Amino acid sequence: MLNLPTEDGQIAPYVLVGDPLIPRAPKVPLTRTAFAAAHVVSDPLRERNPWDTRPAVDWDATLAFRHGLWDQGLGLAEAMDTAQRGMGVDWATALELIQRTMAAAKAHPMRPRVACGAGTDHKPLETLTSADAIRAAYQDQAEAIETAGGQLILMASRAFPAINAAPDIYHAVYRALIDQAAEPVILHWLGDMFDPALSGYWGHSDVADASNFVLDLIAENPAKVDGIKISLLDQAHEEDFRARLPDGVRLYTGDDFNYADLIAGDESHFSHALLGIFAAIAPAASQALEALAQDDLPGFHSLLAPTVPLSREIFKAPTRFYKAGIAFLSWLNGYQSHFVMPGGFQSSRDITHYANVFRLADQARLLSNPDLAVTRMKALLSLHGI
């Protein structure tokens, strides 16, 4: 038992109830493509001036975490928002991360799928004032990723909203990037709840108009689009959008509130997954997808449904701070020796939030070593005077 803070400002006893899931490889091929977007593990002994300099990364722990995802049959979305791109992790660090990850993936016995985020964050926004400049910045990163052997995820770029880009600017840039890519790309639609600087993406303030634009863009060359990740936290919109996609183009849900129902799907359509929460709930995600592949829908929901309240807590507003919850669970479960994040990002959430995450992770069977989790939670509580 331990004493945890509550939303009403009180301290209440909590006794663990969960029966932890044991991470393992799936027994059958999965019928959904599932990418987990993973975080990076800091090296606090080498970290200097964390707000002003490149982050110091513990490469061994960072790559070991990825091996754990691959061992459970999940793919990896590398150097994405979950890895604090633009929020503590710069492109130089992201590129080294991509290169190290791709080398490790190629040597892994399961030959996991890895897709990597290409953006424009190595260039100052004030230099990205035209379609040509934005396209060239994307191409710098795309070429580096393809050289390393990664599939491209064309990340949403703050450069477009910064210049109030009209749809024709988006079209010129994305058309060139899609058509020139070595392999089919994954598009990336990240809502402003994840990053306020992406408001009005695709040159439209109305989501319906933006959807029509993107669907037309994909339809021009669907053979070069593997799929699109949508992170708008709107289940009805995603269901409507995926029904309109060309045959063979996947919808990768990025909806960390409604992923269970979206992945299960309806009579005619379903979503694949590219989710930050899958890095935190990997045993439940993997084993639920295994159940789905065996046509065991009740088993799928029994494993995944308890993770949804946890995910909604981790991704609650301000949603952009969700990375702290992902790293917190990694620490509780022993994948890293500390709870320090690039740029000191662990301070973006409060102790009551972490207490809620602890309770919900236990109830979702996701505290793999309960004794260790309790010991570490008590240490964090002590730092907060509890």
Side-chain angles (χ1 to χ4, degrees):
M1 186 184 77
L2 69 168
N3 295 317
L4 296 176
T6 61
E7 292 290 346
D8 60 0
Q10 303 300 309
I11 303 294
Y14 181 77
V15 179
L16 274 71
V17 298
D19 173 24
L21 292 168
I22 299 173
R24 60 171 175 79
K27 299 173 183 176
V28 297
L30 303 182
T31 54
R32 303 291 190 268
T33 301
F35 292 103
H39 71 302
V40 297
V41 181
S42 288
D43 182 344
L45 296 181
R46 294 193 301 113
E47 193 78 75
R48 303 290 182 271
N49 301 317
W51 285 14
D52 296 329
T53 58
R54 283 188 61 186
V57 177
D58 182 337
W59 292 113
D60 289 341
T62 295
L63 292 173
F65 185 81
R66 283 145 176 77
H67 275 274
L69 297 174
W70 295 334
D71 290 344
Q72 296 177 74
L74 299 176
L76 178 70
E78 187 57 282
M80 299 291 292
D81 188 62
T82 307
Q84 291 181 244
R85 286 288 290 275
M87 297 184 181
V89 170
D90 60 346
W91 167 241
T93 303
L95 177 57
E96 184 172 357
L97 175 64
I98 289 166
Q99 291 168 335
R100 287 175 178 264
T101 294
M102 291 310 307
K106 291 171 185 175
H108 193 277
M110 295 183 74
R111 297 294 188 269
R113 284 192 65 180
V114 180
C116 307
T120 63
D121 51 325
H122 63 300
K123 294 289 187 181
L125 277 180
E126 59 269 22
T127 69
L128 301 176
T129 58
S130 67
D132 287 344
I134 296 172
R135 182 176 64 248
Y138 266 116
Q139 288 173 334
D140 288 343
Q141 295 195 13
E143 290 171 4
I145 290 168
E146 290 182 337
T147 298
Q151 181 183 8
L152 293 180
I153 302 173
L154 298 179
M155 295 178 67
S157 171
R158 296 170 180 168
F160 292 107
I163 62 171
N164 196 28
D168 63 313
I169 300 294
Y170 286 88
H171 185 272
V173 173
Y174 277 91
R175 185 75 278 134
L177 295 171
I178 293 168
D179 296 345
Q180 294 171 9
E183 298 179 7
V185 305
I186 298 174
L187 303 180
H188 180 231
W189 188 356
L190 195 66
D192 56 10
M193 69 287 293
F194 287 88
D195 186 347
L198 298 175
S199 180
Y201 210 74
W202 305 116
H204 292 283
S205 58
D206 181 79
V207 172
D209 291 337
S211 297
N212 291 335
F213 171 84
V214 179
L215 287 161
D216 288 344
L217 179 72
I218 293 170
E220 291 174 5
N221 192 356
K224 292 301 292 287
V225 180
D226 173 347
I228 178 169
K229 166 191 162 69
I230 296 183
S231 298
L232 299 181
L233 306 183
D234 185 336
Q235 181 173 345
H237 170 265
E238 181 171 320
E239 289 171 340
D240 176 72
F241 190 100
R242 74 187 181 193
R244 300 170 61 194
L245 282 169
D247 291 343
V249 178
R250 297 178 177 89
L251 192 300
Y252 290 103
T253 188
D255 187 336
D256 298 278
F257 285 5
N258 304 296
Y259 53 89
D261 289 338
L262 288 164
I263 293 168
D266 53 36
E267 292 79 6
S268 54
H269 299 93
F270 58 82
S271 296
H272 298 270
L274 199 163
L275 289 160
I277 194 59
F278 269 23
I281 67 166
S286 172
Q287 292 171 43
L289 292 174
E290 175 190 74
L292 192 62
Q294 295 173 314
D295 295 322
D296 179 6
L297 191 59
F300 168 83
H301 283 299
S302 70
L303 286 160
L304 214 53
T307 72
V308 173
L310 170 64
S311 187
R312 291 183 176 183
E313 175 66 27
I314 289 175
F315 284 81
K316 73 177 184 178
T319 302
R320 64 188 182 278
F321 297 141
Y322 76 87
K323 299 89 166 168
I326 305 294
F328 174 62
L329 284 177
S330 174
W331 175 58
L332 289 184
N333 283 321
Y335 295 112
Q336 56 195 78
S337 62
H338 58 81
F339 185 33
V340 175
M341 299 175 69
F345 205 83
Q346 70 277 3
S347 67
S348 62
R349 294 295 202 188
D350 57 79
I351 189 60
T352 302
H353 169 73
Y354 291 127
N356 290 338
V357 170
F358 182 94
R359 293 186 193 93
L360 293 167
D362 171 46
Q363 293 159 20
R365 306 175 64 192
L366 291 168
L367 295 181
S368 59
N369 185 333
D371 290 341
L372 177 65
V374 168
T375 297
R376 291 187 167 182
M377 189 71 217
K378 285 182 176 179
L380 187 64
L381 291 166
S382 177
L383 286 175
H384 288 79
I386 301 169

